């Protein structure tokens, strides 16, 4: 199966880092020396037992404060699948970091503390994840040991979550009771939740569809990252090759494509991977394309399906997630980057209100561009449906934008 990328979310102290630590330990994805180091760190902090959250909370400030600040990426594999985890922070101050972790995820692992039920920050995280295109959610109702493993407590929390999630249009919402601290229903089922008949967390993660599997059914989109003279069968090609990652759809040898921004059309003569020719490549594959015609193409250009091209836009209505410490400047200029293409943009208006966006705010804006971008809606293709705004003075990324 394709690797699954998933992000964690939920309010502060709901146990996200502990759950990921438990998942890694029980799935035997932690080396003995790593586990021993965490045991020693736990003893120094006076903990009565090993603090599994230390496996993901790597920053010194995180360990001092006992909270997650940055996104921690972890990788592990089972006999059935490989996983990439983005363990995001729950604190409201670091919501932008949670959004960063969720931006490339196929699924969301949402934690709820059964003793606190559905908190405002948990709701906000779920809304942000849905805004970022995540439609597969596993909700882990944590700390069931503190509720005496009560079925009624679980069902009450699950009912609240289902009612809130109903308008979001999720494809799947799995709700699993368990305890990250004790380990029940994480990898092993345990003995305290015999009334629950559904899958344990890892079992469900192993069966979720990956994003690349869905992306392969979309329109062909190939942002050019590098121009090269490719080699096939040990010989250097006389034609230029265009290197990059297929972000959506598939490409076949002989397929007609359109080159943007020039609008020229040609056909794919050859598809190369590590110097070997192939007849087809799909979303997620990094390839070199050799075209039938010698056309001037540069980094940042887009090769797309001629029969289903993206739309050309000089102004865009966007949903912005504001990441900058300084608020949005209405009428201000920003660098706009979409994949490897960069143009200048001006925030013409905020659609809903005149109030500026501040850190962690989400709002609707209209953006005018100095040169065209070629876009799809974010729900159709993430890469051509998303962009970032960069402050020209500081070169800091200040916002993530989603095309409607």
């Amino acid at each position: 199966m394709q690797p699954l990328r998933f992000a964690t979310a939920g309010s502060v102290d709901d146990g996200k880092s502990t759950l990921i630590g438990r998942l890694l330990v029980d799935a035997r994805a932690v080396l003995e020396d790593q586990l021993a180091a965490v045991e020693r760190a736990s003893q120094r902090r006076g903990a009565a037992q090993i603090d599994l959250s230390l496996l993901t909370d790597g920053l010194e400030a995180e360990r001092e404060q006992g909270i997650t600040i940055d996104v921690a990426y972890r990788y592990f594999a089972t006999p059935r699948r490989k996983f990439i985890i983005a363990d995001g922070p729950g604190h409201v101050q670091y919501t932008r970091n949670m959004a960063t972790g969720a931006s490339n995820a196929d699924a969301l692992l949402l934690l709820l503390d059964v003793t606190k039920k559905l908190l405002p920050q948990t709701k906000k995280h779920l809304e942000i994840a849905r805004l970022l295109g995540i439609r597969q959610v596993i909700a882990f109702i944590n700390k069931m040991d503190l509720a005496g493993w009560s079925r009624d407590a679980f069902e009450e929390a699950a009912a609240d979550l289902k009612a809130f999630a109903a308008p979001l249009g999720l494809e799947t919402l799995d709700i699993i009771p368990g305890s990250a601290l004790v380990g029940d229903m994480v990898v092993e089922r345990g003995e305290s939740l015999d009334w629950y008949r559904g899958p344990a967390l890892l079992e469900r993660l192993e069966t979720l569809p990956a994003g690349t599997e869905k992306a392969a059914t979309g329109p062909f989109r190939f942002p050019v990252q590098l121009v090269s003279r490719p080699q096939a069968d040990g010989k250097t090609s006389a034609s230029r090759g265009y290197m990059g990652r297929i972000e959506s759809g598939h490409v076949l040898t002989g397929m007609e494509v359109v080159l943007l921004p020039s609008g020229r059309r040609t056909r794919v003569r050859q598809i190369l991977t590590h110097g070997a020719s192939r007849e087809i490549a799909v979303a997620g594959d990094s390839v070199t394309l050799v075209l039938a015609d010698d056309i001037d193409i540069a980094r940042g250009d887009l090769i797309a399906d001629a029969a289903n091209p993206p739309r050309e836009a000089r102004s865009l209505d966007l949903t912005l997630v504001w990441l900058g410490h300084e608020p949005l400047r209405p009428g201000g200029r920003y660098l706009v980057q979409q994949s490897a293409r960069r143009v200048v943009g001006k925030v013409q208006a905020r659609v809903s209100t005149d109030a500026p966006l501040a850190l962690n705010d989400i709002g609707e804006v209209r953006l005018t561009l100095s040169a065209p971008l070629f876009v799809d809606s974010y729900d159709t293709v993430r890469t051509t449906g998303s962009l970032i705004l960069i402050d020209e003075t500081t070169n800091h990324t200040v916002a993530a934008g989603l095309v409607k």
Side-chain angles (χ1 to χ4, degrees), residues 58-81:
L59 297 178
E60 183 177 353
E62 293 177 322
R63 298 193 180 200
E64 288 176 352
Q65 299 178 49
I67 61 173
T68 301
I69 296 173
D70 202 358
V71 181
Y73 291 94
R74 293 293 180 267
Y75 310 87
F76 78 103
T78 68
R80 297 188 64 183
R81 174 170 241 171

Side-chain angles (χ1 to χ4, degrees), residues 239-242 255 257 259 266-270 289-295 297 303:
S239 300
R240 285 180 293 181
Y242 306 100
M255 177 175 164
V257 293
L259 314 176
T266 185
R267 293 189 178 274
V268 176
R269 193 177 79 193
Q270 197 174 25
L289 300 183
V290 179
L291 304 178
D293 300 298
D294 195 10
I295 301 172
I297 302 175
I303 303 176

Side-chain angles (χ1 to χ4, degrees), residues 308-331:
N308 189 6
R311 66 182 174 93
E312 180 178 340
R314 286 188 174 271
S315 66
L316 290 168
D317 287 336
L318 300 172
T319 300
L320 277 191
V321 181
W322 194 256
L323 310 174
H325 290 286
E326 297 296 325
L328 169 70
R329 302 189 304 272

Side-chain angles (χ1 to χ4, degrees), residues 316 318 320 322 328-334 336 344-351 357 364-369 389 398-399:
L316 290 168
L318 300 172
L320 277 191
W322 194 256
L328 169 70
R329 302 189 304 272
R333 280 168 44 106
Y334 296 91
V336 181
V344 174
K346 183 177 181 181
V347 181
Q348 187 179 37
R350 185 175 177 189
V351 175
L357 289 175
E364 310 299 320
V365 303
R366 183 164 294 122
L367 187 69
T368 57
L369 305 169
L389 299 188
V398 294

